[in-house]
Amino acid sequence: MGAQDTLTRPEIDAALVELPGWRLRLGGLSAALKCPTSATALDLFATIGALAQAANHHPDVDWRYDTLFVVLSSHDAGNKVTARDVALARAISSAAAEAGAVARPELLRAVEIAMDTADFTAVAPVWAAALGLKAGEPDELRDPAGRLPTMWFQQTETPNANRFHFDIHVPASEAQRVLAEVEAAGATLDRSSAPQFVIATDVQGNRLCICTEEGRDA
C-alpha cells in the first residue's frame, strides 16, 4: 500500500488496535498526550515537529500547559486518514512514551455546529463569509486553520424549531460515561441512533448530539 492511499474504515480500525492511545474522530486520528511537566510538553512538541518535517507530513498540534492535543489527517487526500497518518501516529506514540507522556483519550472532544435547513446552499455563503470558513464536504464548512468548529447543514424539509444544535464528538470508549453525566445533569436521551449518535434534550428543549466514530465510514 502506498503512503498516499486513503485507508478504509476496517483498515483504520486495524491500525488503531496497535495505537491504543489514538482515536478516530471527525475524519482524523486524534490523541491527547499528558506530559509530566509543561517543559516536557514543549520538548515533545518540538520532537513531533521534527518527526513531521522528516515525514513531510504535518499534524495539527495544540499545546495546553502539560498536554498536547494532536490531530492527524491528510489534507491532500480530502482530510482523510492515510497510511502516512498511521506511520506518524506510531512515531509520535513512541516519542511520547520516551517523554513519559500518558494518553488521555477521555479529554478528546470536538464540537461541530449543526443547522437544520431546507436549502443549505441559500444560507451557507453567509456563514462562510462571517466566520471565514471554506467548503469542505458538500454540506459543510470548515476553518482552513482548523481553529473554529466545522459547520454542518442538516438538510431537512421540516427544520426543527431549534434550528441550531451542537454535535459533540467523543471517542466511543468514553461515550457511555459522558452520556451518563449528561443524563444526570437533567437531559433526556434518545438512543434510537446509538452508537453513532444520541440526541440529548435539556429541560428547556435545547438539543445536542453526543456522537462517536461508530457506524461511520473513514
Side-chain angles (χ1 to χ4, degrees):
M1 177 186 298
Q4 301 287 340
D5 293 336
T6 299
L7 301 183
T8 64
R9 180 58 195 271
E11 290 170 333
I12 294 171
D13 290 342
L16 287 173
V17 172
E18 300 179 359
L19 294 167
W22 295 79
R23 300 291 187 271
L24 176 64
R25 201 172 49 126
L26 288 178
L29 300 181
S30 299
L33 304 171
K34 185 174 178 61
C35 299
T37 65
S38 178
T40 305
L42 281 174
D43 288 341
L44 179 57
F45 199 154
T47 299
I48 291 173
L51 291 170
Q53 283 294 102
N56 192 29
H57 188 53
H58 303 98
D60 294 327
V61 184
D62 184 9
W63 168 48
R64 300 289 169 170
Y65 185 58
D66 61 356
T67 303
L68 299 179
F69 295 86
V70 187
V71 180
L72 289 164
S73 66
S74 296
H75 304 300
D76 57 355
N79 295 308
K80 302 296 185 181
V81 177
T82 67
R84 287 171 292 165
D85 300 304
V86 172
L88 187 52
R90 190 175 293 116
I92 291 172
S93 289
S94 178
E98 291 181 9
V102 177
R104 295 285 302 276
E106 72 276 11
L107 300 179
L108 293 173
R109 300 195 191 193
V111 175
E112 186 175 56
I113 300 172
M115 176 197 285
D116 279 8
T117 175
D119 180 9
F120 71 86
T121 62
V123 297
V126 172
W127 296 93
L131 295 170
L133 304 180
K134 304 295 184 184
E137 298 295 329
D139 57 354
E140 72 177 20
L141 298 172
R142 288 178 175 267
D143 179 5
R147 295 182 64 250
L148 298 179
T150 295
M151 189 164 183
W152 173 57
F153 298 93
Q154 182 165 274
Q155 187 86 7
T156 173
E157 296 303 319
T158 56
N160 191 280
N162 182 357
R163 282 178 175 262
F164 282 100
H165 68 272
F166 286 170
D167 284 346
I168 301 170
H169 292 258
V170 303
S173 60
E174 311 302 319
Q176 293 309 311
R177 176 184 60 81
V178 173
L179 287 168
E181 292 176 356
V182 170
E183 189 171 31
T188 58
L189 303 182
D190 176 355
R191 298 176 181 268
S192 60
S193 297
Q196 186 171 349
F197 65 91
V198 173
I199 302 170
T201 306
D202 69 19
V203 294
Q204 296 181 356
N206 303 300
R207 298 176 303 146
L208 59 87
C209 292
I210 302 297
C211 307
T212 77
E213 70 274 21
E214 296 301 321
R216 301 174 188 271
D217 60 25

